[in-house]
Amino acid sequence: MYWLVKKGWVQQPLFKRSMVEDKNKVDPMLRVITLLQISYFLVGVIGRWAQHLFVTTAELTTASFIFCSVLSAGFWWHKPCDVVAPENIELDKTLDEIAKEAPLDRKWQLTPLDFVSRDEWWWSKVWWNYLNILRRIGICFGSEASDDGTIDRIADSVQRPLPRLQQYMMLAVTAGCFAIFFLAWDHAFPTPIERTIWRIVCILLMGTMAFGLAISEAAQAYEAVKKPMSDWSWRLSRAVPLTQQSERPKPTRFFRMARYPRAQEVMERIDRYCDGIRNNSRNGDPDLKLPLKIILPLYVLGFVYMFSRSYILIADAIGLRLQPPSAYSSVDWQKFWPHFG
């Protein structure tokens, strides 16, 4: 939008705060009531812990969700909810005329204005990769491109690169959420093996966070190096006429195996398979390509995380079969009030 206004191809829209709030389906009072309801549950868990009453793992899991929900509600306090009707913006030029301003001869992927900015956070690209795996097995949700490549809206997962401070804030919230599970370290589980697995899962969750931080630092360093090299290669390719580019021979990646056609065929097949892992987008979006050294460890990380969270949900359910007597006692709130005389 800023680029279009700067070029003078669209008038700056006059959106007022009241116009946005009018489309919002949730008022502040409803948010306050929701926060009070979930906070009451959290206070109850703290009260049970203070009076040495048994707290189930299901209650701890709910408390971890509440911890994240309260913080999300604070950051999203002014975010409109369930806005359906869009505001149409009229352009003074056609998209074909605007596309001629593209600095690179590339086919657009999400919108015809991709050339303006596709500066996307690398975690957002990883999330695209995960979603594309689910789509391949028939599980589709969120925004998805149609057969002609068009999309109905920009997906919520598309995120610009976050500053380091915001990334560390997210890391702190994640650590706080996982730390709640450690409160059941010495819980009275129905069997010792269930307690042992719970401890292992708690360590795995913290491990995924630490491992994810290490991969994040490596990925951001990779992005910092890749972008200048990509810009340089595009400038070099544009300096050579297209006719000469088409006449230049294409080097074979496995030229050393030219004497072994069968081995070369196998290696090229493996290379194509690896390319499908690096970029599994439906239309081969080059901006969603990730290196194998980043995406393969994240596959392992995602599997460990899903296993750990799945076991926690299973343990919450099967752990209800055998509870200590104090699990059925209520909090005596009068003990928290001071008495005089």
Side-chain angles (χ1 to χ4, degrees):
M1 178 59 67
Y2 172 77
W3 185 82
L4 292 174
V5 173
K6 184 178 179 181
K7 287 288 186 178
W9 291 339
V10 64
Q11 296 182 356
Q12 183 174 357
L14 299 177
F15 290 122
K16 297 181 180 180
R17 186 184 184 91
S18 58
M19 297 172 59
V20 179
E21 292 180 350
D22 183 64
K23 294 179 177 292
N24 190 10
K25 305 298 189 301
V26 178
D27 57 358
M29 182 56 65
L30 183 58
R31 298 178 190 266
V32 171
I33 294 175
T34 303
L35 287 177
L36 289 177
Q37 289 177 333
I38 62 177
S39 299
Y40 174 77
F41 178 86
L42 189 60
V43 171
V45 173
I46 297 175
R48 296 182 61 84
W49 199 275
Q51 294 188 0
H52 304 286
L53 299 177
F54 185 78
V55 180
T56 64
T57 57
E59 290 173 319
L60 290 179
T61 302
T62 306
S64 67
F65 291 151
I66 292 176
F67 175 78
C68 297
S69 300
V70 170
L71 295 177
S72 299
F75 287 114
W76 286 3
W77 190 263
H78 298 289
K79 180 181 179 180
C81 181
D82 296 335
V83 177
V84 179
E87 291 289 338
N88 297 322
I89 300 175
E90 301 292 337
L91 298 176
D92 296 335
K93 286 191 175 184
T94 63
L95 288 178
D96 292 336
E97 294 175 335
I98 296 177
K100 295 179 181 179
E101 297 289 330
L104 304 176
D105 297 330
R106 298 177 61 182
K107 182 181 181 299
W108 60 271
Q109 302 294 331
L110 296 179
T111 71
L113 299 179
D114 280 350
F115 64 88
V116 177
S117 176
R118 277 297 301 274
D119 193 12
E120 189 173 349
W121 192 25
W122 80 272
W123 270 114
S124 177
K125 300 178 182 179
V126 172
W127 183 246
W128 274 110
N129 194 286
Y130 286 158
L131 291 182
N132 289 328
I133 294 177
L134 295 178
R135 291 190 179 106
R136 289 180 181 273
I137 61 178
I139 303 175
C140 301
F141 58 91
S143 179
E144 184 178 8
S146 59
D147 294 335
D148 59 355
T150 58
I151 58 175
D152 54 354
R153 64 180 179 86
I154 300 296
D156 296 334
S157 58
V158 178
Q159 176 66 51
R160 292 183 60 82
L162 294 181
R164 285 300 180 91
L165 178 59
Q166 295 184 14
Q167 295 184 39
Y168 292 147
M169 291 175 61
M170 293 178 58
L171 184 66
V173 173
T174 304
C177 176
F178 292 164
I180 294 177
F181 298 120
F182 280 86
L183 298 177
W185 188 268
D186 292 324
H187 256 33
F189 286 87
T191 60
I193 187 63
E194 293 180 38
R195 181 173 59 249
T196 302
I197 298 177
W198 181 274
R199 293 176 177 178
I200 294 175
V201 163
C202 290
I203 296 175
L204 287 177
L205 286 176
M206 280 296 184
T208 56
M209 184 190 65
F211 190 51
L213 176 62
I215 295 179
S216 177
E217 296 295 331
Q220 293 183 79
Y222 170 79
E223 289 286 338
V225 175
K226 187 191 74 169
K227 190 175 187 304
M229 294 182 61
S230 178
D231 294 341
W232 176 83
S233 62
W234 272 106
R235 294 191 184 99
L236 181 63
S237 64
R238 288 174 61 82
V240 179
L242 295 177
T243 55
Q244 298 183 15
Q245 293 183 26
S246 60
E247 294 174 356
R248 287 187 300 179
K250 297 182 180 180
T252 304
R253 188 167 186 177
F254 305 101
F255 62 93
R256 294 181 179 179
M257 296 185 179
R259 297 181 179 180
Y260 308 98
R262 182 61 179 175
Q264 181 176 348
E265 180 182 354
V266 172
M267 294 302 297
E268 289 180 351
R269 185 178 303 176
I270 295 176
D271 187 51
R272 288 192 299 268
Y273 179 77
C274 292
D275 286 338
I277 297 177
R278 296 186 186 98
N279 187 353
N280 60 356
S281 59
R282 183 176 181 180
N283 49 1
D285 189 347
D287 290 303
L288 297 180
K289 185 177 180 180
L290 295 169
L292 287 179
K293 63 185 69 175
I294 297 296
I295 194 61
L296 289 182
L298 285 176
Y299 283 166
V300 178
L301 189 71
F303 174 80
V304 173
Y305 176 80
M306 293 299 298
F307 167 79
S308 302
R309 295 308 296 258
S310 299
Y311 176 78
I312 286 178
L313 295 178
I314 295 174
D316 293 342
I318 65 177
L320 298 176
R321 73 185 188 276
L322 184 61
Q323 298 291 332
S326 62
Y328 304 97
S329 302
S330 301
V331 179
D332 187 1
W333 296 107
Q334 293 181 357
K335 293 182 179 180
F336 292 101
W337 296 102
H339 297 276
F340 300 96

